[in-house]
Amino acid sequence: MTDPTVAANEAANEAPPAAADEAPGEPVVQAVQAVWCDYGGVLTSPLHGLFGQVAAAAGIPADEFLAAIRRVAAPYGGALIEPLELGRLTQREWGLRVTAELAPGWTPQLDLTRFGDHWYAGRTANTALFELLAQVRARGLRVGMLTNSIREWEPHRRALAPDVRPWPFEVTINSFEVALRKPDPEIFALAESTFGVPPAACLLIDDVAANCAAARARGWQVIEHADPSRTLRLVEQWTAAGHGPGIPAEE
């Protein structure tokens, strides 16, 4: 999400490091056997600024909107929309609580119990990456989607997805279904066991720095998505070669 806690993206998603594929002296690495791709912001247009856009449409200052969202998340140990992504609140419950937190000072001009409608307004799919991942799966690699997702947003995702055949994803791990979300190491462990692939042979494509760091800490190979053309080039290069640079092979 989505995969997505976007305010965290905006705070943490610094400019990507120099492209690893261009660095000299690349170490030998273990071949990629499984590719796990995020959804929101990777397979879709960027998420930057979406909280602010929804706040503006609701007629609420962005700082007041985010503060209300954080107050709802706090009892669940979260900072943004974690209660939705972990399936602990329905979208309706969440919207009513955020609306109550905004009162009496602010009355949203949008129905926050339908937050996903506003979140997905104007979003577009990264069709080229969907198509490339379908090719990667056809080459015999395992391909899955690993996403911080919200149950009520699934119809939006299905409507947005391009008609790519064969479908790229063998498996989708949705955070709300497993009560785990990135960057929790346990969701990466679940992905490893789902395909029976060791960490060093897993490749994550994600746009959130914290998620990428957590995957690297487990020994995964990582493409930190920022520029779509660069991501396409790296996916093609790494999956064709069987590996990406920078992660030593397991002994």
Side-chain angles (χ1 to χ4, degrees):
M1 207 181 257
T2 340
D3 237 278
T5 57
V6 176
N9 282 13
E10 295 170 346
N13 233 357
E14 301 172 355
D21 57 307
E22 297 170 357
E26 294 172 1
V28 176
V29 298
Q30 181 162 323
V32 170
Q33 299 175 37
V35 178
W36 289 95
C37 189
D38 182 35
Y39 184 82
V42 177
L43 288 165
T44 74
S45 47
L47 304 182
H48 300 293
L50 276 179
F51 276 112
Q53 291 174 27
V54 175
I60 303 167
D63 57 346
E64 296 283 351
F65 187 47
L66 286 170
I69 289 172
R70 291 187 176 113
R71 289 194 294 272
V72 171
Y76 300 90
L80 289 167
I81 56 173
E82 294 91 340
L84 289 170
E85 293 175 330
L86 291 169
R88 294 178 181 170
L89 289 177
T90 66
Q91 180 175 248
R92 176 172 174 75
E93 290 169 332
W94 181 89
L96 290 173
R97 292 188 188 193
V98 173
T99 299
E101 289 291 342
L102 288 165
W106 300 97
T107 300
Q109 302 304 303
L110 298 176
D111 180 0
L112 296 182
T113 69
R114 300 187 62 83
F115 186 58
D117 295 357
H118 316 303
W119 188 263
Y120 276 88
R123 296 278 289 282
T124 58
N126 184 351
T127 301
L129 184 53
F130 273 96
E131 292 173 342
L132 179 54
L133 291 173
Q135 295 171 26
V136 169
R137 184 178 178 187
R139 294 173 194 158
L141 276 71
R142 313 296 296 274
V143 180
M145 188 185 298
L146 186 62
T147 173
N148 292 348
S149 183
I150 295 168
R151 185 179 304 277
E152 292 87 350
W153 293 9
E154 289 301 294
H156 295 288
R157 291 185 168 205
R158 288 193 294 270
L160 188 61
D163 185 18
V164 174
R165 301 181 186 182
W167 184 241
F169 304 105
E170 203 175 327
V171 172
T172 296
I173 297 179
N174 285 308
S175 60
F176 70 83
E177 292 179 324
V178 299
L180 294 167
R181 64 183 295 279
K182 297 171 292 183
D184 187 335
E186 289 302 313
I187 200 168
F188 296 106
L190 176 61
E192 295 157 16
S193 64
T194 297
F195 281 159
V197 172
C202 292
L203 170 64
L204 176 69
I205 310 166
D206 203 296
D207 63 326
V208 178
N211 299 342
C212 293
R216 288 191 187 100
R218 284 195 63 84
W220 284 40
Q221 304 181 59
V222 172
I223 295 173
E224 187 166 343
H225 174 81
D227 174 65
S229 61
R230 177 176 179 268
T231 295
L232 290 171
R233 175 169 54 84
L234 288 176
V235 171
E236 181 65 54
Q237 176 181 323
W238 289 21
T239 58
H243 62 77
I247 305 296
E250 292 186 331
E251 296 293 332

